[in-house]
Amino acid sequence: MTRIDSHQHFWQLSRGDYSWLTPDFDVLYKDFLPKDLSPILEQLGISKTVLVQAAATTAETEFMLAIAEQTEFVAGVVGWVDMESADAIKQLEVFSKNPYFKGIRPMIQDIGDVNWMLKAELAPVFEYLIAQQLTFDALVKPEHLPALYHLLLKYPDLKVVIDHGAKPAIADNSSPQWYENIALIALETSAYCKLSGLVTEAGTEPALKQIVPYMEHLLLCFGSKRLMWGSDWPVVEMSCNYHVWQSQAEEFMQPLSSEEQSLIWSANAQSFYGLE
């Protein structure tokens, strides 16, 4: 069965634009590049990845596109543009000339205003994404879900995937509204969702049973046709590692039919991002 990692990162500290990445992150505070991931993918039988932005700069998007052109397993890049800039459309036009460029991800989780995504000034960017069939990765937390719901109703043709299941607070079970809000989005919009990042939200080396209620809810809400698996490597190293998280996902999906598993492991990412 083909497997695609729909969500992974690379970074090179010397580039200097990862404002969030400080020495406090310890295990993450070093370079993570294709040579580090390649043997893991080969060992686990993962054929392609989607490389996702980790810095709020267009320079990092250029860095990722250069990696994609030189790295056989990188099938697509989700970059970043300054959506509030007068040059946002020009930036998108330039990036769109590269076949590896699939869409954008603003770092919404780090923006103080939970309603930022609803600002009128952003409309031209959303309209451009729709017109060009580009994707939008929603890096949100539970408190952003009401605004995301309204955004999705406003732009029903926008290709949106929710990263990391919207990061419910699994470790202390303190996101009671998450269940209801994520269900509403799944029911009333066409958004996809990534089965990624959950293990990190559950703390250090969590047992599968701690994460399962959240995974089950996402599967119930989005179904196998709108879920895609991702490692969130190397961020996953804060909790366990690539091998452990993939093994947990395998165990969770084991009761599903081979067709349902294939959708979550690869086909949904392939079609959503338009991977070659």
Side-chain angles (χ1 to χ4, degrees), residues 24 26 37 48 53 65 73 79-80 90 104 112 123 128 136 167 170-171 176 185 187 199-200 208 218 246 253 259 273:
D24 296 343
D26 191 22
L37 183 56
K48 300 177 185 177
Q53 67 83 225
L65 289 170
F73 62 76
W80 182 92
K90 287 183 181 178
I104 60 170
Y128 184 88
F136 185 81
K167 293 193 164 188
I170 300 174
I185 286 174
L187 179 66
V199 69
T200 310
L208 178 58
L218 291 174
Q246 185 191 244
M253 285 188 253
E259 181 184 0
Y273 285 114

Side-chain angles (χ1 to χ4, degrees), residues 1 138 233:
M1 183 184 295
W233 185 91

Side-chain angles (χ1 to χ4, degrees), residues 9-27:
H9 308 283
F10 292 129
W11 51 73
Q12 192 169 35
L13 295 183
S14 61
R15 295 189 54 261
D17 55 0
Y18 310 99
S19 57
W20 61 274
L21 187 53
T22 64
D24 296 343
F25 278 95
D26 191 22
V27 69

Side-chain angles (χ1 to χ4, degrees), residues 70-90:
Q70 300 161 12
T71 307
E72 189 174 352
F73 62 76
V74 176
V77 168
V78 176
W80 182 92
V81 299
D82 183 353
M83 293 179 67
E84 296 182 87
S85 166
D87 294 329
I89 302 301
K90 287 183 181 178

